[in-house]
Amino acid sequence: AVYEPSEIQNAICDYLVMAGSAAASVRDPAAGTGGFAGAMPAELAGRAKLTMVELDHVSALIAKHAHPGMAVQCKGYEATTFADDSFDAAVTNVPFGQFSVYDRRHAGEGMLVHDYFFAKALDHVRPGGLVAFITASGTLDKKTSAARRELATRAELVCAARLPDSTFQASAGTTVTSDVVVLKKR
């Protein structure tokens, strides 16, 4: 597991407030130990219900104990059964990798795991809701544009920022090029 620096979590949560998000319900589909839960500014924390999903049992247990009263599901995001249009926003550091996740709804789309998380989050975020993810640079830099085109039919790009490749050096001991991408569901 790779965990993002708190400065990035804080900036994303602050952006939700600045963008005027009426986030009463927020999803973190790859919550790790719950870093985004700890980064929520008072403007969000006082009114937003955060639901976390985490595949790793130990990380999910830590999140549950670190953030009592917040919902934590220990399972893969593909195994969740949230209703469509049921959340106002989604924030996370999506898993990176050159592999796909099987989800019957998205079968045949051929998306890599980081793109799949965007597609699944767009299923669950209400129209006008925001999806603000840290993602692999491959989301924006693909050789083929099929996944980006699919996402563009469902959401508009609000902003994107390339992070320095040293962003995760102190927190995770890794050098990786990644982006923060914010989409608004149509």
Side-chain angles (χ1 to χ4, degrees):
V2 175
Y3 299 103
E4 62 284 343
S6 60
E7 295 85 6
I8 304 296
Q9 295 166 335
N10 293 338
I12 289 172
C13 289
D14 287 346
Y15 179 80
L16 291 179
V17 173
M18 183 194 76
S21 174
S25 58
V26 179
R27 154 106 29 81
D28 184 342
T33 58
F36 277 101
M40 285 207 173
E43 298 94 324
L44 277 180
R47 70 173 188 264
K49 176 186 177 218
L50 178 67
T51 301
M52 295 181 268
V53 177
E54 175 53 42
L55 177 62
D56 178 71
H57 178 72
V58 173
S59 295
L61 192 58
I62 292 170
K64 194 173 279 194
H65 287 290
H67 307 285
M70 292 194 184
V72 180
Q73 294 188 13
C74 182
K75 59 175 71 172
Y77 192 32
E78 68 280 4
T80 61
T81 57
F82 299 109
D84 286 357
D85 304 331
S86 60
F87 286 84
D88 298 312
V91 295
T92 207
N93 178 3
V94 298
F96 298 11
Q98 296 297 315
F99 61 93
S100 297
V101 175
Y102 179 76
D103 180 327
R104 185 177 16 202
R105 182 172 186 173
H106 294 280
E109 292 176 355
M111 292 186 176
L112 294 176
V113 64
H114 43 276
D115 301 323
Y116 164 77
F117 268 70
F118 278 97
K120 180 96 169 176
L122 288 171
D123 293 342
H124 298 145
V125 172
R126 68 169 173 75
L130 297 175
V131 173
F133 285 175
I134 301 166
T135 185
S137 59
T139 297
L140 298 179
D141 291 351
K142 284 186 182 19
K143 291 181 179 153
T144 64
S145 60
R148 286 192 311 272
R149 276 196 316 266
E150 173 60 31
L151 296 175
T153 65
R154 302 176 58 206
E156 62 185 77
L157 176 66
V158 175
C159 64
R162 170 92 1 123
L163 300 173
D165 64 1
S166 61
T167 300
F168 292 89
Q169 188 63 46
S171 64
T174 188
T175 301
V176 61
T177 304
S178 55
D179 300 317
V180 174
V181 176
V182 181
L183 302 177
K184 183 175 183 178
K185 184 172 178 177
R186 295 184 194 281

